[in-house]
Amino acid sequence: MGSRLRRIATTLPPPAVDLSADRPQSVYLIGIGGCGMSGVARMLRARGHAVEGSDQTESPVTRALAAEGFRVGFDQQTPWIPEGCELVIASAAVRPDHPQILEAQRRGVPAIFYAEALGALMAPAMGVAVAGTHGKSTTTAMLGHTLAACGLDPSVIVGANAPSFGGTGFRVGSEQIPAGPLAGGPGVMVAEACEYNRSFLNLRPRVASISSVEADHLDVYGSIDQVVEAFHEFATLLPADSADPRAAGRLLIAHDAAHRREVTKGLACRVETIGLNPEADWHVAIDPRSAEVTLREHGRVRANFRSPMPGVHSALNASTAVVLALWLGADPADATGAIARFPGLDRRLQRLPDRAVAGGSVRVYDDYGHHPTEIDLTLRAIRAHERPEARGGRLVCVFQPHQHSRTRFLLDEFATAFERADMVIVPHIYFVRDSEAEKQRVSAADLVDRLLDRGVRAMHLYPFEAIVDHLRHTCREGDVVVVMGAGPVWQVAHAFAGEVEADLPEPKAATA
């Protein structure tokens, strides 16, 4: 089911399958209700392919697909794929022994993973891959929003729902760039490039960005050295630099915190850096009072705009999106105007309705952050933006660790990530891909103990209903609550803000 791409600096082999519009096929998607998979389904149909699929349960995504005419089934125990099916695409969460995968193998139907399909869709396009340990989703959404506002009509796939794309994680754009200096060339396709399990090595970008490279997914990589090597291998996917802007490979990498020397060593593509360091090719200067950003290219001012989201990291994400947009032919004035109007992204510093309390209200944020660096940056941004202490309030963080292996590998880093919080509430660790043996090696209580040792007020509390109840009884006027984590802990934020009922059983495993 998967193919491993060989590393090569200037030329890439063709993708394992042809998903261009020149050869329409009958394609079946297992896990079609996923954020990325539903986007792939729509892009395939836009290119003339016949598409249907299955998922474990009905959801708003599957209902939307059905309303658009897609046939979607929910009995995944039935080893059935349609007659005449020529290709099966499986979500990354689907196991090789899935009944429908086994049926495809029995019938000789090729089966590939989502990342391979994404690479095949990207191959004929002006592919843009947004990579990095942090900031991928936000930067991808910002770039897609900006390019659309500038009339470049991109296709976009991002791992979160975005108001810019009608509350979905996708946008289907033109097969050719309709405007700007690259007009008439292959249409732009922007995609989030996930490093987990090295899946980003299946992509076919011509342009890419790397915002950061840190130790994560150590259950897969084992060490930071292997993480750095994977990002280097990803960077080698870019074609060589060229005088033809439609063919030239270009990489924008963070000047600091991205192991850029190791990642970019020996690359044939054009490499430029971005960051707060004045030595960066693209220098980002931020006014902390106004959130105004000045973006300079080798000392020359290229853009001025107001960062649309709180925090230095958000300003850097926005700046990266602006630079990539300029590379793709966006007008600078249009690009900076668009980025300032970016409406945000679900679970990325997402402001929810205030919670009414005696004497006033409590601000509520929902955020996807689940790595120590993301947590630290988010808490810094919220404290600087909201200043709860000035109103006699506190910054209360509800954090659900994501995976036992990540929690164990990064326990010391997690222990230092919450210093900006006045109170931390930790539910059970979200059990996703780890083994039962790994589950026994670390618990939420271990993280709470580390936080208490560092003088941070912390408690282990579950289930979610108990956390919501605790917040309702203890939060006061002026407090700010931020709920963080990659698992279902978002339910706590929405229940406390009054958007959903607090009937919140705590899931024990991820779904496909």
Side-chain angles (χ1 to χ4, degrees), residues 19 29 32-47 89 113-122 125-131 135-145 147 153-162 164-165 168-173 188-194 203 345 348:
L19 293 179
L29 275 62
I32 196 171
C35 195
M37 288 285 282
S38 61
V40 165
R42 291 172 169 100
M43 289 186 183
L44 287 170
R45 191 162 74 170
R47 292 187 180 182
I89 300 172
F113 279 119
Y114 162 78
E116 295 173 276
L118 197 58
L121 286 167
M122 185 178 280
M126 173 60 80
V128 184
V130 180
K136 296 183 291 290
S137 296
T138 303
T139 305
T140 302
M142 286 177 165
L143 177 58
H145 164 89
L147 293 173
D153 198 18
S155 294
V156 185
I157 289 189
V158 61
N161 292 330
S164 295
F165 312 138
T168 70
F170 71 92
R171 183 184 192 278
V172 179
V188 176
M189 179 176 174
V190 182
E192 183 176 343
C194 180
L203 302 185
L345 188 66
R348 272 66 177 181

Side-chain angles (χ1 to χ4, degrees), residues 50-172:
V51 183
E52 55 188 291
S54 67
D55 213 302
Q56 285 191 337
T57 57
E58 189 178 11
S59 69
V61 176
T62 61
R63 286 192 288 271
L65 288 168
E68 295 170 29
F70 288 92
R71 183 183 176 196
V72 181
F74 300 101
D75 183 5
Q76 292 195 324
Q77 294 306 311
T78 300
W80 173 86
I81 55 176
E83 291 297 327
C85 177
E86 298 169 85
L87 177 68
V88 170
I89 300 172
S91 159
V94 172
R95 297 175 61 87
D97 60 355
H98 189 286
Q100 293 174 342
I101 292 293
L102 296 178
E103 175 65 8
Q105 293 173 346
R106 186 188 70 79
R107 289 168 47 179
V109 177
I112 64 174
F113 279 119
Y114 162 78
E116 295 173 276
L118 197 58
L121 286 167
M122 185 178 280
M126 173 60 80
V128 184
V130 180
T133 310
H134 320 296
K136 296 183 291 290
S137 296
T138 303
T139 305
T140 302
M142 286 177 165
L143 177 58
H145 164 89
T146 300
L147 293 173
C150 292
L152 299 181
D153 198 18
S155 294
V156 185
I157 289 189
V158 61
N161 292 330
S164 295
F165 312 138
T168 70
F170 71 92
R171 183 184 192 278
V172 179

Side-chain angles (χ1 to χ4, degrees), residues 239-250 268-270:
D241 193 14
S242 167
D244 180 358
R246 296 181 182 179
R250 304 184 75 170
C269 65
R270 181 175 176 180

Side-chain angles (χ1 to χ4, degrees), residues 185-496:
V188 176
M189 179 176 174
V190 182
E192 183 176 343
C194 180
E195 72 274 14
Y196 175 72
N197 212 22
R198 298 176 173 84
S199 65
F200 59 178
L201 300 185
N202 291 284
L203 302 185
R204 292 295 190 280
R206 303 188 197 184
V207 175
S209 66
I210 299 175
S211 60
S212 57
V213 178
E214 290 194 59
D216 198 8
H217 305 300
L218 295 181
D219 55 323
V220 172
Y221 289 105
S223 70
I224 181 61
D225 291 340
Q226 293 301 310
V227 176
V228 173
E229 175 60 25
F231 274 91
H232 170 68
E233 192 168 354
F234 165 74
T236 64
L237 300 178
L238 293 162
D241 193 14
S242 167
D244 180 358
R246 296 181 182 179
R250 304 184 75 170
L251 172 65
L252 182 67
I253 187 169
H255 190 85
D256 301 305
H259 296 265
R260 62 181 173 86
R261 290 181 177 84
E262 296 91 340
V263 170
T264 63
K265 182 178 179 181
L267 295 184
C269 65
R270 181 175 176 180
V271 178
E272 296 183 33
T273 67
I274 186 169
L276 303 175
N277 192 321
E279 294 183 2
D281 297 317
W282 294 86
H283 175 223
V284 181
I286 308 164
D287 186 329
R289 296 164 300 180
S290 64
E292 290 291 330
V293 177
T294 301
L295 183 61
R296 293 181 174 88
E297 180 187 16
H298 299 295
R300 181 168 65 97
V301 175
R302 293 295 308 276
N304 288 285
F305 60 91
R306 183 179 177 83
S307 181
M309 299 171 68
V312 172
H313 65 301
S314 297
L316 287 169
N317 291 338
S319 298
T320 297
V322 168
V323 173
L324 294 176
L326 296 182
W327 283 2
L328 294 166
D331 176 80
D334 291 344
T336 54
I339 201 70
R341 298 190 302 272
F342 177 67
L345 188 66
D346 280 6
R347 305 220 60 223
R348 272 66 177 181
L349 272 174
Q350 183 183 11
R351 173 85 179 271
L352 301 182
D354 291 355
R355 170 79 187 188
V357 296
S361 62
V362 174
R363 299 275 172 84
V364 185
Y365 284 87
D366 184 25
D367 191 81
Y368 187 75
H370 54 284
H371 184 279
T373 299
E374 296 166 347
I375 294 163
D376 178 57
L377 291 172
T378 298
L379 292 176
R380 287 174 183 269
I382 291 176
R383 184 168 284 283
H385 181 69
E386 293 288 355
R387 299 183 66 240
E389 67 279 1
R391 305 191 303 273
R394 303 160 299 174
L395 178 54
V396 179
C397 179
V398 179
F399 170 67
Q400 182 181 36
H402 187 259
Q403 296 191 80
H404 291 76
S405 56
R406 177 185 282 120
T407 306
R408 181 171 65 85
F409 285 130
L410 302 178
L411 190 59
D412 290 336
E413 289 84 350
F414 276 118
T416 63
F418 294 92
E419 293 180 347
R420 299 306 187 280
D422 296 303
M423 178 68 191
V424 181
I425 301 171
V426 185
H428 286 327
I429 298 172
Y430 187 46
F431 183 48
V432 188
R433 296 180 291 261
D434 290 322
S435 66
E436 284 292 336
E438 182 68 53
K439 186 178 180 181
Q440 303 305 316
R441 300 177 73 176
V442 69
S443 70
D446 294 320
L447 175 56
V448 169
D449 288 343
R450 294 294 182 97
L451 293 172
L452 292 172
D453 288 343
R454 296 189 63 85
V456 177
R457 292 187 61 199
M459 63 188 298
H460 174 38
L461 189 60
Y462 65 95
F464 286 174
E465 293 164 314
I467 297 174
V468 174
D469 190 59
H470 180 80
L471 293 173
R472 286 171 174 166
H473 284 89
T474 60
C475 285
R476 61 182 188 240
E477 157 65 11
D479 284 350
V480 177
V481 172
V482 55
V483 176
M484 304 181 74
V489 73
W490 62 268
Q491 298 173 51
V492 171
H494 287 257
F496 179 63

Side-chain angles (χ1 to χ4, degrees), residues 16-36:
V17 296
D18 180 5
L19 293 179
S20 67
D22 297 332
R23 185 180 176 273
Q25 301 178 64
S26 173
V27 186
Y28 188 81
L29 275 62
I30 307 173
I32 196 171
C35 195

